[in-house]
Amino acid sequence: VVKLNEDGSFLLMTSYIVDPSEFYVHMVTPNATKIDQLKKELNLFYQQKADMLRKITFEPCGNDMCCARFSEDKTWYRAQICSVTYARGCSATVSAGRHGGRKAQRSCEADRLDCSEVQVHYVDYGNFERLPVSEVLPLMPEFTEMPAHAVKCSLYGIKPTTEQVGDWG
């Protein structure tokens, strides 16, 4: 629930922009600092336990929540798996959502091929990234209680200048 200011407005902060039809914002509220505390606790936990957690069998599937290590700052963040790419001579992917493809082409078992790479959506910031499966770990239940911080938005009535879908020129 969004609490409006007296003039009917509310504050947002842009977090990540794909294009005018898809961008992510954070609500600016007194509770906004809770995500910083979650990030600190999450990183402390995963820095200490990552090696142990890697020993656990984790077979990522589309739409699974996970903890992913962002390549730019090597920090752990909450994420959702968009697609999974399998190795051993097969380029099949299991996908979910706009950035992972249209439909699942194989089940999660994928003929027992090894998962080599995943595409994740960082749910608290809105950005997407392809990562080796070694940079993705199961998300512990204590880090799932807070809802995703990034809110997906789009500009109403704005369309690309060309007929090609997604071409914003």
Side-chain angles (χ1 to χ4, degrees), residues 8-112:
S9 67
F10 56 96
L11 293 176
L12 299 173
M13 182 176 72
T14 305
S15 177
Y16 182 74
I17 300 171
V18 175
D19 59 41
S21 69
E22 182 178 2
F23 57 95
Y24 296 83
V25 300
H26 290 165
M27 304 293 292
V28 178
T29 68
N31 291 331
T33 58
K34 286 183 180 181
I35 194 67
D36 294 329
Q37 184 60 34
L38 174 73
K39 182 178 156 187
K40 284 180 187 175
E41 292 170 11
L42 182 105
N43 271 280
L44 181 63
F45 178 86
Y46 281 89
Q47 286 170 359
Q48 293 175 350
K49 308 284 186 188
D51 290 336
M52 179 194 73
L53 289 170
R54 283 190 178 98
K55 294 176 185 175
I56 297 171
T57 301
F58 177 59
E59 295 183 28
C61 291
N63 289 326
D64 281 354
M65 291 298 293
C66 65
C67 192
R69 197 158 94 174
F70 187 47
S71 64
E72 290 186 25
D73 65 6
K74 302 299 184 199
T75 300
W76 294 97
Y77 295 94
R78 298 188 307 168
Q80 184 172 26
I81 296 172
C82 299
S83 68
V84 180
T85 303
Y86 290 91
R88 202 177 306 148
C90 178
S91 61
T93 59
V94 177
S95 315
R98 176 177 175 196
H99 293 279
R102 294 178 192 262
K103 299 219 177 204
Q105 287 103 19
R106 288 192 182 236
S107 69
C108 255
E109 279 69 354
D111 300 328
R112 288 292 156 208

Side-chain angles (χ1 to χ4, degrees), residues 2-12 27:
V2 177
K3 185 175 180 179
L4 301 178
N5 295 325
E6 288 180 20
D7 64 358
S9 67
F10 56 96
L11 293 176
L12 299 173
M27 304 293 292

Side-chain angles (χ1 to χ4, degrees), residues 106-141:
R106 288 192 182 236
S107 69
C108 255
E109 279 69 354
D111 300 328
R112 288 292 156 208
L113 297 170
D114 294 326
C115 171
S116 63
E117 188 177 71
V118 294
Q119 181 170 9
V120 297
H121 173 231
Y122 294 102
V123 298
D124 294 316
Y125 297 92
N127 53 319
F128 296 82
E129 180 174 42
R130 272 203 176 287
L131 295 169
V133 72
S134 60
E135 297 297 304
V136 177
L137 296 171
L139 186 62
M140 296 292 104

